[in-house]
Amino acid sequence: MLSFEHLYSTLPEPLWVATQATPVAQPELIAFNAPLAHELGAKEIPDSETLAQWFSGNQPMPSSQPGALGYAGHQFGNFVPQLGDGRALLLGEVIDQSGVRRDVQLKGSGRTPFSRGGDGRSPLGPVLREYLVSEFMAAMGIPTTRALAAVTSGERVVRQMAEPGAVFTRVASSHIRVGTFQFAAAQRDEALLKALADHVIVRHYPEAANAEDPYLALLEAVVARQAVLIARWMSVGFIHGVMNTDNCSIAGETIDYGPCAFMEQFDPQKVFSSIDQGKRYAFENQPAIAQWNLARFAETLLPLMREEGDALVQQATDVIRRFESLFSAEQLRLHADKLGLAAESPQAAPLMEALESQMHQGRMDMTATFDALTHYALSPSDEHREALLALTTQPSELTAWLETWQAEQVASQDSPRSAAMRSANPVIIPRNHRVQEAIDAAYDGDFAPFHTLLAVVTKPFDESVEARRLAAPATENEQVLRTFCGT
C-alpha cells in the first residue's frame, strides 16, 4: 500500500534501534484515514482485516523496517538523559504526493529497548483523543502530526485501571524532537550530533545549508516555526498539557498530544493535565515554555556553530530572544483575523486584550464567544447581539467593548476580512466532554459517537444541526476537568 524509504535509519545507533512490534491478541480496525493514505501515495487500500493486521503490528507492512528512536528530554524541567520511543515504532518514511518525506509510526505496538520497564502499550482512550484532536488541528491548518489508523488490540492495558488496548498510527514530517538533539549531545559524540543536524537540514530546512553558519540558520528556522505554531495553538485555546523538550518537534508540528484539551471558559491559567500540578504548562505559559525549550535546543547546537566563546553564546541568545517578536507578529495577525479587523489595525492587540479580560471576568466560553462575534460581525442583527451578550455574566461591560470594537470593525464591509474572520473562528472544537463521551462509549464497544464527532470536528466551520449540538459548551454537570496521558 505504501512504499517505504529509510533515510533516518542510516543515522548511527542509538538514534535509531531496529525493533519489532509485539503482536496483539485480536486486532480490529476502528478507523482508517483513506484520504491521508492517498495523499501519502497509496494507490490501493486493502480490506479491513489486512489493515488491522498491519496497523496493529501483527504483520509487517511490505518494505517497512520498524525501529525505535532514541531521545532525551527535560520533563517538567528535570533532565532525563535517555527516554526514547518506549511504545512506538517508526515503520519508515514515504514520499507524499507533494514530494515531502513523512514518517509513519505505530504507537502502542509493544516494548522497545527504550521502554524502561513499561509495557509498550496504549489504552484506547488516548488513541481516540489523539485521533480526534490531531485531525481537528489539521482541518484548522495548524501544523500537526496526522492520524492514519486506529486499531483495538483485543487486550487489556493496566493504568489507573484495566482498560481496552489500542494501537495508533500517526504520520509526521518527522519524529525528531528537541529531545533528540539533547540525546545526541548527551552521547558526547560531536560526529553523531553533526550527522543528526545535517539530516534535519537536508530534510526540513535545506535553505540553511547555504548559510554562512548552517547550524545557526537551523536554529533560526526552528525558532521561527515554533513561534508560529504556539501562536496558532493560543488562537483556538489549545492546551498541550506536557510541553517537555521531548514533545517539541524540530519540524514545527504539534506532536504527542497526551493529556491535551481545549479551553472552554476563558482562564489564562487553565490546566487540564492530571500530572501538571504546578501549572507549568498552563495556557498562558505556553509561549515562554516553548522559548525555554528552544534555548535547550540552542545549547545542543553550540559545538557545531562557527563562533566561539562569549560571541557564540550571545549569537545563540539573540536568536532565542527573537522568538518573542516572531510569536507576537503571528499572534497579532491572528488577533486581527479573529476580530474581523484590518491586518494593519493598531487596535487589534488592545481590543483582544480587553476581550480576553471580558471573557475571563464574565466567565465566557472562548470558542462560543468568537463564533457568536463572527455571526454578529457578518450580520449585525439584534438577535446575534443578544446571543453574544447571553454568553457573559457582565453584559454591560461587554456592551461597552462592542461599541469600541464596532468603531474599528470592517469585516461586514470587506469580503476578504469576513472570510478571514470565519476561518479563524471555528464553530466547533473537540470539547473535552464530547471527547470523553466518545471514549466512554467506545469502552462499551460503541464507536458510533467517535465517528460522529470525528466527522464534525474535521469540518470545523460546519453549521449543521449535528455540528451545533456537538459544539455546545459543557454544562456544569458535563465538565471534564482532568485529562490523562496514557503512558
Side-chain angles (χ1 to χ4, degrees):
M1 184 183 75
L2 297 175
S3 179
F4 288 108
E5 297 185 0
H6 305 282
L7 184 62
Y8 193 82
S9 67
T10 63
L11 293 172
E13 288 194 18
L15 291 174
W16 182 90
V17 181
T19 312
Q20 294 300 314
T22 304
V24 300
Q26 192 173 351
E28 291 187 16
L29 188 68
I30 304 166
F32 178 69
N33 193 339
L36 177 58
H38 289 303
E39 185 181 316
L40 297 176
K43 294 180 174 59
E44 296 182 3
I45 306 298
D47 59 74
S48 295
E49 184 175 343
T50 301
L51 292 173
Q53 292 294 323
W54 281 352
F55 292 117
S56 64
N58 275 21
Q59 292 180 7
M61 290 186 67
S63 75
S64 65
Q65 292 180 12
L69 277 58
Y71 50 84
H74 275 89
Q75 299 197 311
F76 290 89
N78 301 306
F79 184 63
V80 182
Q82 180 170 304
L83 294 168
D85 286 336
R87 57 174 181 155
L89 290 177
L90 177 65
L91 299 180
E93 305 124 19
V94 297
I95 308 300
D96 70 14
Q97 299 280 26
S98 300
V100 176
R101 182 177 297 271
R102 297 165 79 179
D103 284 359
V104 180
Q105 182 198 63
L106 297 182
K107 189 175 178 181
S109 51
R111 288 188 176 93
T112 78
F114 300 108
S115 292
R116 295 171 292 151
D119 61 10
R121 295 303 190 190
S122 176
L124 175 60
V127 167
L128 299 183
R129 180 181 297 276
E130 182 161 353
Y131 203 118
L132 289 164
V133 176
S134 63
E135 286 306 290
F136 165 78
M137 297 286 265
M140 284 297 300
I142 298 171
T144 180
T145 57
R146 297 289 306 275
L148 181 58
V151 176
T152 55
S153 66
E155 300 175 349
R156 307 293 283 182
V157 175
V158 178
R159 295 296 183 262
Q160 284 83 10
M161 58 182 182
E163 305 174 56
V167 182
F168 180 64
T169 304
R170 72 178 175 194
V171 176
S173 292
S174 79
H175 286 83
I176 303 169
R177 313 143 187 274
V178 168
T180 313
F181 277 82
Q182 291 181 298
F183 183 64
Q187 310 304 310
R188 300 188 182 280
D189 181 346
E190 192 170 311
L192 178 69
L193 179 65
K194 185 177 184 302
L196 176 62
D198 290 344
H199 173 90
V200 169
I201 288 172
V202 168
R203 183 164 180 176
H204 294 302
Y205 304 101
E207 65 281 0
N210 298 320
E212 183 178 348
D213 185 338
Y215 307 107
L216 179 65
L218 171 61
L219 176 62
E220 291 172 336
V222 174
V223 167
R225 281 200 192 174
Q226 280 290 325
V228 168
L229 176 66
I230 306 304
R232 293 182 183 178
W233 285 5
M234 306 289 280
S235 74
V236 293
F238 177 72
I239 303 170
H240 185 281
V242 190
M243 288 180 66
N244 296 332
T245 56
D246 52 292
N247 296 336
C248 181
S249 164
I250 292 299
E253 291 180 332
T254 316
I255 193 171
D256 290 337
Y257 281 87
C260 64
F262 291 85
M263 184 158 60
E264 297 196 20
Q265 184 177 305
F266 189 84
D267 178 0
Q269 274 291 297
K270 189 63 180 175
V271 168
F272 285 94
S273 171
S274 63
I275 58 177
D276 193 3
Q277 300 297 322
K279 296 192 173 184
R280 176 180 172 87
Y281 300 137
F283 176 73
E284 70 176 357
N285 295 347
Q286 292 181 134
I289 289 295
Q291 188 178 31
W292 189 90
N293 288 346
L294 291 165
R296 308 289 76 76
F297 176 52
E299 289 167 355
T300 70
L301 293 178
L302 292 178
L304 303 179
M305 293 181 186
R306 291 190 176 182
E307 286 286 356
E308 296 181 355
D310 292 344
L312 169 62
V313 174
Q314 187 60 53
Q315 191 178 53
T317 300
D318 289 344
V319 174
I320 297 302
R321 285 176 176 163
R322 230 170 282 160
F323 175 92
E324 296 173 21
S325 61
L326 293 167
F327 169 82
S328 295
E330 178 67 5
Q331 187 176 57
L332 185 61
R333 183 188 71 80
L334 292 165
H335 285 175
D337 286 350
K338 290 185 75 67
L339 295 174
L341 303 181
E344 66 279 6
S345 171
Q347 294 303 312
L351 277 168
M352 181 60 78
E353 184 178 349
L355 180 57
E356 288 180 345
S357 177
Q358 287 293 318
M359 288 194 293
H360 191 201
Q361 295 170 18
R363 302 175 61 82
M364 299 175 73
D365 181 274
M366 180 179 178
T367 302
T369 297
F370 283 107
D371 180 41
L373 185 67
T374 301
H375 278 279
Y376 183 51
L378 302 182
S379 178
S381 65
D382 289 343
E383 178 186 359
H384 287 144
R385 181 186 180 88
E386 291 306 312
L388 178 58
L389 292 175
L391 297 174
T392 181
T393 61
Q394 300 181 342
S396 59
E397 287 84 349
L398 184 58
T399 298
W401 180 89
L402 279 172
E403 291 175 359
T404 305
W405 167 75
Q406 283 184 299
E408 186 72 16
Q409 197 267 335
V410 295
S412 57
Q413 292 82 36
D414 186 332
S415 181
R417 297 310 303 158
S418 299
M421 188 178 189
R422 177 73 280 177
S423 66
N425 296 321
V427 170
I428 189 168
I429 57 172
R431 291 187 180 274
N432 219 13
H433 69 295
R434 296 301 186 194
V435 173
Q436 194 60 51
E437 284 175 0
I439 291 171
D440 291 344
Y443 276 32
D444 291 333
D446 180 9
F447 288 93
F450 164 77
H451 288 290
T452 298
L453 186 57
L454 179 64
V456 295
V457 299
T458 51
K459 296 179 181 178
F461 310 106
D462 186 9
E463 296 276 7
S464 69
V465 172
E466 183 74 340
R468 281 290 170 196
R469 179 182 73 81
L470 293 172
T475 65
E476 189 170 343
N477 293 332
E478 291 175 327
Q479 289 185 19
V480 177
L481 301 177
R482 289 289 175 268
T483 51
F484 299 88
C485 191
T487 55

